[in-house]
Amino acid sequence: QVQFVESGGGLVQPGGSLRLSCVASGSIFKYPIMGWYRQAPGKQRELVATITSIGSTNYADSVKGRFTISRDNGKNTIYLQMNSLKPEDTAVYYCNGKLLRLGVSTDYWGQGTQVTVSS
């Protein structure tokens, strides 16, 4: 069953901006932590940003000052605003939610959306 659906990826020039959206199948309050990960060709998946149910955020050093993660509880959606994009930001971006059940944390993922930064 699909948990998250990402959108907003595309082709953008260096220095440009994109806004990614992730719509959850249900209330995002059920996920204590949600976030964005990315995986570039030939590289391992890496954490980009996280946001908790109370709005606390964390960012990878590589995106601090350029990316902003946010949430809209009424729309069951999290966003990733990406500014000042660089070619090294090129990757498939995945929405992630961690669900705690019976003391076990389980990761749920979206299908991913491609972001390509190129001139």
Side-chain angles (χ1 to χ4, degrees):
Q1 185 178 5
V2 177
Q3 300 296 316
F4 310 119
V5 178
E6 303 101 328
S7 63
L11 175 64
V12 65
Q13 291 186 316
S17 298
L18 285 173
R19 184 176 178 84
L20 306 183
S21 298
C22 169
V23 181
S25 60
S27 174
I28 59 175
F29 282 111
K30 67 192 297 184
Y31 306 101
I33 300 176
M34 296 190 68
W36 292 92
Y37 290 71
R38 67 187 182 187
Q39 187 166 23
K43 300 185 68 176
Q44 292 186 298
R45 187 174 299 185
E46 65 175 351
L47 174 68
V48 176
T50 61
I51 187 166
T52 70
S53 296
I54 61 172
S56 299
T57 59
N58 282 287
Y59 298 91
D61 289 340
S62 59
V63 306
K64 285 182 178 178
R66 300 188 299 120
F67 291 10
T68 302
I69 188 171
S70 61
R71 60 191 288 155
D72 187 326
N73 297 326
K75 296 181 178 180
N76 294 323
T77 302
I78 67 168
Y79 304 93
L80 185 68
Q81 178 66 47
M82 305 185 294
N83 300 325
S84 302
L85 283 162
K86 305 174 180 179
E88 50 262 45
D89 295 318
T90 296
V92 177
Y93 284 70
Y94 297 93
C95 184
N96 168 265
K98 297 185 183 296
L99 187 63
L100 182 63
R101 292 179 177 177
L102 300 176
V104 179
S105 181
T106 303
D107 286 300
Y108 292 88
W109 301 91
Q111 82 288 349
T113 184
Q114 176 71 49
V115 172
T116 302
V117 185
S118 177
S119 59

